Structures are given as C-alpha cells and as structure tokens.
Amino acid sequence: MFNEFNVVDIFDVKNTGNILSRDIKQNSGSTPYLCASSENNGVSSYISYDKRYLENGGCIFIGGKTFVVSYQENDFYSNDSHNLILSLKGKNGKTKSTQLYLATCVHKSLNHKYSWGDSISNKKIQKDTISLPSKSNHPEFSSMEILISAIQKLVIKDVAQYADQKIATHKKVVKSGAEMI
C-alpha cells in the first residue's frame, strides 16, 4: 500500500551552500562539486575547497532550478544555494538502496510541479507530499530495500547473460577464422 507523506515529515530540508564555478579550480581535489545536471549524478568536477562549505553525503540532492534529483552517498560541495538537500529523519531507511528508492519517489511525486520557469525552493517543498510504500501509516523502508535489491540482482543477471552471449559469439568468430586457415 502507498500513502502520501509530507516531505518535511520524512526529511530535514535545507539549502546547499553557494560556491560559484569561477571560485573553484576544476579537478583540484577528490570531493564532488555538484551542479544541477542530470549527467554524472550531478558531479561536474572534483575539487578541494574550504571545508566550511562541505555538505554531508548520505542525502538526496535536488537541483533547484532543473529539478534533477539524485542520491549523494559522499560528502560534496554545491554550486548553487537554490539546490536542496533532503536528509532522512530518524535512524530507519538510511541505506543506499532505500535512499535511491526515496530519490525516485521524490522525483516521481514532484517532477510534474517544478521546471526551469517554476523551480522548487525550500519554501515550496514545505507543503509538498510524496507517495511512499507504507505500513500502519509509516514509510515501509524494508520493502524499499527489498525492491532495490531485487532490481540490482536482475540487472546483474542481465549483464552476465549479455557478457556470456558476447563471449560465445567471439568464440564462434575465432573458431571459424581458425578453420579457414
């Protein structure tokens, strides 16, 4: 069963810092520098910068102007104070798999509302709801974890089958080439 939950009942919401690209040195370090891009999980570079602007990982990142939603496992820097961080409240559901599921739920529940011309903000998200699997009117994190785990296993199985097919095809080509000699 799915229920609607207020975003602010599930997450602590805050704006990110604002580090302008002109103020950084591209590829100067090992900490991700995020922009609101859907490519490369929002990472535009890896930088070294003032630790006071470092954002904690293990959160959902929303590109404020573009409504790109991603899970950020590691600590990072952000390029724009219009970007949002959603940090899961409580101790339950803080696994990578659950956070990936939650990021998808946030995107699917809210992407129809926000665009470049009507961007999300900390003020707007305070009134938003997201649809989540639930049990007894509480988010059911265990089912989120199980579903993501099952999807990962299916993807691994498909990749293994693809690789086996490529190897078999390669062996046929090599064998037919050897028979021609």
Side-chain angles (χ1 to χ4, degrees):
M1 168 184 279
F2 278 75
N3 280 330
E4 294 292 315
F5 294 91
N6 292 325
V7 170
V8 294
D9 290 340
I10 306 299
F11 299 101
D12 290 317
V13 179
K14 78 170 212 162
N15 289 80
T16 63
N18 187 26
I19 303 172
L20 301 176
S21 60
R22 70 174 183 238
D23 295 336
I24 65 156
K25 183 177 179 191
Q26 294 283 332
N27 302 311
S28 61
S30 59
T31 304
Y33 175 66
L34 302 184
C35 62
S37 171
S38 61
E39 295 180 10
N40 199 28
N41 206 40
V43 177
S44 67
S45 183
Y46 290 87
I47 66 170
S48 180
Y49 201 78
D50 187 334
K51 299 285 187 206
R52 291 179 294 171
Y53 295 94
L54 191 63
E55 305 289 356
N56 293 325
C59 66
I60 295 171
F61 174 84
I62 300 176
K65 294 176 183 169
T66 59
F67 199 73
V68 170
V69 180
S70 61
Y71 169 65
Q72 296 300 323
E73 185 171 18
N74 301 312
D75 293 352
F76 61 91
Y77 294 105
S78 175
N79 74 329
D80 195 334
S81 62
H82 294 286
N83 297 331
L84 299 176
I85 294 172
L86 306 181
S87 300
L88 196 57
K89 291 183 176 183
K91 295 181 181 184
N92 294 327
K94 291 196 176 186
T95 66
K96 179 179 179 178
S97 295
T98 302
Q99 297 266 18
L100 289 167
Y101 190 100
L102 289 166
T104 300
C105 290
V106 167
H107 186 264
K108 291 295 182 187
S109 294
L110 302 178
N111 73 335
H112 68 281
K113 290 182 73 171
Y114 299 110
S115 63
W116 185 265
D118 186 18
S119 59
I120 194 167
S121 68
N122 196 329
K123 184 177 179 179
K124 290 177 185 178
I125 203 169
Q126 300 294 317
K127 299 172 190 160
D128 286 332
T129 62
I130 56 174
S131 183
L132 298 174
S134 65
K135 187 174 187 178
S136 303
N137 290 324
H138 296 287
E140 191 174 11
F141 296 115
S142 62
S143 67
M144 296 177 206
E145 183 86 26
I146 290 167
L147 181 63
I148 292 295
S149 177
I151 290 169
Q152 289 173 332
K153 288 176 184 176
L154 288 171
V155 169
I156 290 168
K157 178 183 165 202
D158 288 348
V159 168
Q161 287 176 341
Y162 175 79
D164 289 344
Q165 290 172 348
K166 289 293 183 185
I167 291 168
T169 301
H170 180 71
K171 285 181 179 179
K172 285 180 187 178
V173 169
V174 170
K175 184 179 178 184
S176 67
E179 290 173 354
M180 295 172 83
I181 297 177

